[in-house]
Amino acid sequence: MRAIRSLVGGEPVDGAPGGAFTISNPARLDETIGEAHLGDASTIVEACRIAGMAQPGWASTPAPERGRVVQHFGRLVEDNFEALARAITREIGKPIRESRGEVQEVVDTCNFFLSEGRRLYGQTVPSEMPDKQLFTFRTPVGVAAIVTAGNFPVAVPSWYIVPALVCGNAVVWKPAEYTPAIAEAFSQLLLHAGLPPGVFSMVLADGPSTFEGLERALDAGHVDKIGFTGSTEVGRRIGELAGRHLQTPCLELGGKNPLVVMPDADLDLAVEGALFSGFGTAGQRCTSLGTVIVHTDVHDDFLERFSKAVSQAAIGDPTTDVLYGPMISARFCERFESWLGLVRPHHTVLGSTGTGRITASNPRQGFVGDPDAGLFFHPTIVDGLRADDELATTETFGPIVGIATFETFDEAISLANGHGYGLSSSIYTSDPLSVFRFRERISAGMVSVNNSTSGAEAHLPFGGNGRSGNGSRQSGIWVLDQFTRWQSMNWDYSGHLQKAQMDVADVEADPAFRLAE
């Protein structure tokens, strides 16, 4: 069995101090991908220490040259495009079309940040004193420790790693331990793009070892920035840990993303958006649809169309053209089944053939492939959600969508914001007034109009508020603020000490004007 190991300073780590476990294809559980050899807290600390030693040299490399390394990485990804996409489908069961889209996102990210290597702009600022100039500069933060989830095993890491490297930082990446083969492939492509030794490391580790390693690395002064994509619960712990060291992490957390259907909406378009938002990637996206909030006048019509679309959607073998495949990993199955337990007596559950796991004994009509071969679950629609239902306020990472109704716009906004998350949102309407009222009042960091809650572009800021994150943003020029610090410089060439406001205050006031004393 092929052993998949951490890469520290570009070299594979011997042994498995954090243990080892077998990785299987979630769509074909009898197909073994390899054995993940995990590092431990010390592995993370050592990777961060090495990164700290390599970072000054990388920072001194001209930014356009750092951009060229990113360009090379993007070209290597393009050269291995189909192989990387198929590796994603094989390791996490993502439908092949989605996997190809994810790989394209890496290429797009590299294309964008190649140019940012020539645009790490500062400013010249007018001074209030003569013979003096003021400047601002972006400087790298140092060592960035990046921890990412496995539902987007290459796209999301690229959102962190690519701009961090362009800005002159060294990176230690901790991917999801259940996606080691994808992480290894991604890392090898990046290392072969021309990075100096030590600037990038990839450490496979479980959650407790990762947290301990970060804590120890922070205590030793080896980490200057943490980027984390994952659950709100873990994000809180990461935020507390970073805060003890007066650092602000970049947190991209969960979501309970609303899709509002106004009475003037194009219902067929809204159904199409809800279908992909709710069940694409088997609902295992942070931007997956949580609740459709539909006006009472169109509720029955929408629900009939939506239920029909879900019942007719192809589900199964992810190497074929299906809406979704299996759950990413066995670890998510039991948790998803517990969320099905949040259904209450006042709810109505709609399912064409059943709920829970799809098997030969609990079949789904038109399933593609062998249902007993993998971790497949029925798509579930739950109608009748209320604002105080646990199902309406809990992020359900899987193929389940809730339906709530409203009569007034205020009710819709209350339902859309009431869960406390604020990542993505969508509204379907033909009325510009509704669009802009929604944009003004929704708490989400991202708003879609007549489009799904899922999806991102490499040059638009990605991130949320409230339980969805701490306001940090990824992608586009906005992520540069996560991986640089502003430095100001003043240069006085007057030949004598000028004291700014003190000198200004010494200038004699107009004797013709005095305030009463």
Side-chain angles (χ1 to χ4, degrees):
M1 186 180 300
R2 185 169 79 91
I4 307 170
R5 308 177 187 277
S6 302
L7 297 168
V8 175
E11 298 297 327
V13 175
D14 293 332
F21 65 96
T22 301
I23 303 296
S24 299
N25 182 339
R28 299 184 179 88
L29 294 173
D30 60 353
E31 180 183 330
T32 299
I33 292 172
E35 185 175 68
H37 286 210
L38 302 184
D40 59 8
S42 296
T43 313
I44 291 174
V45 174
E46 178 63 8
C48 293
R49 186 190 68 82
I50 291 173
M53 295 175 62
Q55 188 271 331
W58 177 240
S60 68
T61 301
E65 288 301 310
R66 300 196 299 258
R68 283 180 59 81
V69 172
V70 165
Q71 179 187 36
H72 293 158
F73 173 54
R75 298 300 174 264
L76 287 172
V77 171
E78 283 186 310
D79 291 344
N80 294 273
F81 191 101
E82 188 64 17
L84 192 55
R86 291 190 175 278
I88 294 170
T89 294
R90 184 170 178 239
E91 194 159 21
I92 65 169
K94 182 173 287 192
I96 187 63
R97 288 188 64 202
E98 287 192 38
S99 296
R100 290 173 181 142
E102 179 168 352
V103 176
Q104 185 61 50
E105 182 74 13
V106 179
V107 175
D108 293 345
T109 298
C110 291
N111 287 342
F112 181 86
F113 284 101
L114 156 67
S115 298
E116 289 308 305
R118 297 182 181 273
R119 281 198 298 261
L120 288 175
Y121 295 148
Q123 294 177 310
T124 56
V125 183
S127 172
E128 60 191 28
M129 310 302 293
D131 298 326
K132 187 178 182 181
Q133 293 292 330
L134 309 179
F135 308 87
T136 64
F137 300 88
R138 286 189 182 272
T139 63
V141 296
V143 174
I146 306 301
V147 182
T148 57
N151 55 340
F152 282 86
V154 296
V156 170
S158 74
W159 293 356
Y160 286 106
I161 294 169
V162 168
L165 291 173
V166 168
C167 290
N169 303 284
V171 173
V172 175
W173 176 39
K174 207 297 288 186
E177 63 270 29
Y178 55 86
T179 59
I182 302 169
E184 181 187 51
F186 181 97
S187 299
Q188 290 289 3
L189 292 173
L190 186 53
L191 290 169
H192 280 80
L195 286 175
V199 170
F200 172 79
S201 291
M202 183 274 289
V203 178
L204 299 173
D206 63 19
S209 295
T210 300
F211 193 85
E212 180 187 347
L214 289 174
E215 189 171 33
R216 288 169 52 185
L218 283 164
D219 288 341
H222 297 326
V223 172
D224 304 287
K225 182 77 177 186
I226 299 176
F228 173 76
T229 295
S231 71
T232 300
E233 178 184 3
V234 176
R236 285 194 179 102
R237 295 188 63 205
I238 294 291
E240 291 168 357
L241 176 61
R244 294 206 301 266
H245 294 268
L246 302 180
Q247 293 186 19
T248 302
C250 181
L251 300 177
E252 196 275 287
L253 309 177
K256 189 67 176 179
N257 309 292
L259 186 152
V260 174
V261 181
M262 298 295 289
D264 62 346
D266 179 333
L267 291 187
D268 287 334
L269 185 62
V271 164
E272 186 179 5
L275 183 69
F276 180 71
S277 296
F279 299 110
T281 324
Q284 298 169 109
R285 298 181 177 209
C286 56
T287 54
S288 290
L289 170 60
T291 306
V292 180
I293 303 169
V294 57
H295 194 274
T296 54
D297 288 352
V298 293
H299 168 269
D300 292 350
D301 193 0
F302 173 85
L303 192 58
E304 180 181 358
R305 300 186 197 200
F306 185 43
S307 181
K308 181 180 179 180
V310 172
S311 67
Q312 294 177 346
I315 295 170
D317 182 357
T319 64
T320 64
D321 187 15
V322 294
L323 175 61
Y324 71 84
M327 300 295 281
I328 290 172
S329 170
R331 68 174 60 190
F332 296 118
C333 294
E334 183 176 347
R335 188 170 60 172
F336 178 68
E337 289 174 334
S338 73
W339 289 322
L340 292 174
L342 299 179
V343 174
R344 298 292 177 255
H346 61 272
H347 295 154
T348 301
V349 178
L350 294 87
S352 59
T353 53
T355 59
R357 189 162 176 177
I358 302 173
T359 62
S361 58
N362 184 23
R364 173 181 167 83
Q365 183 178 3
F367 183 86
V368 181
D370 177 6
D372 290 328
L375 307 172
F376 301 99
F377 279 76
H378 285 279
T380 303
I381 304 170
V382 181
D383 188 28
L385 258 64
R386 301 171 182 168
D388 57 351
D389 286 341
E390 195 173 357
L391 190 57
T393 59
T394 302
E395 181 185 26
T396 49
F397 204 66
I400 182 171
V401 171
I403 308 290
T405 58
F406 71 96
E407 293 185 357
T408 69
F409 190 79
D410 286 346
E411 290 176 343
I413 291 296
S414 180
L415 286 164
N417 289 336
H419 41 67
Y421 289 95
L423 184 57
S424 184
S425 63
S426 176
I427 184 169
Y428 279 77
T429 181
S430 58
D431 181 9
L433 178 59
S434 295
V435 169
F436 285 102
R437 288 171 67 201
F438 184 75
R439 186 210 64 77
E440 289 170 356
R441 297 178 61 184
I442 193 70
S443 62
M446 298 179 290
V447 179
S448 291
V449 181
N450 298 330
N451 201 353
S452 73
T453 62
S454 298
E457 297 195 36
H459 52 286
L460 199 66
F462 185 100
N465 312 308
R467 296 170 69 186
S468 294
N470 60 347
S472 56
R473 293 293 181 264
Q474 298 169 302
S475 299
I477 59 172
W478 299 270
V479 74
L480 299 178
D481 286 333
Q482 297 300 314
F483 294 111
T484 57
R485 295 190 180 106
W486 282 109
Q487 182 184 63
S488 64
M489 183 180 83
N490 74 84
W491 185 351
D492 192 321
Y493 47 90
S494 66
H496 62 276
L497 181 61
Q498 300 188 88
K499 299 176 183 177
Q501 290 86 357
M502 292 174 62
D503 286 356
V504 172
D506 285 342
V507 175
E508 184 176 356
D510 183 354
F513 179 78
R514 292 286 188 271
L515 292 174
E517 297 182 2

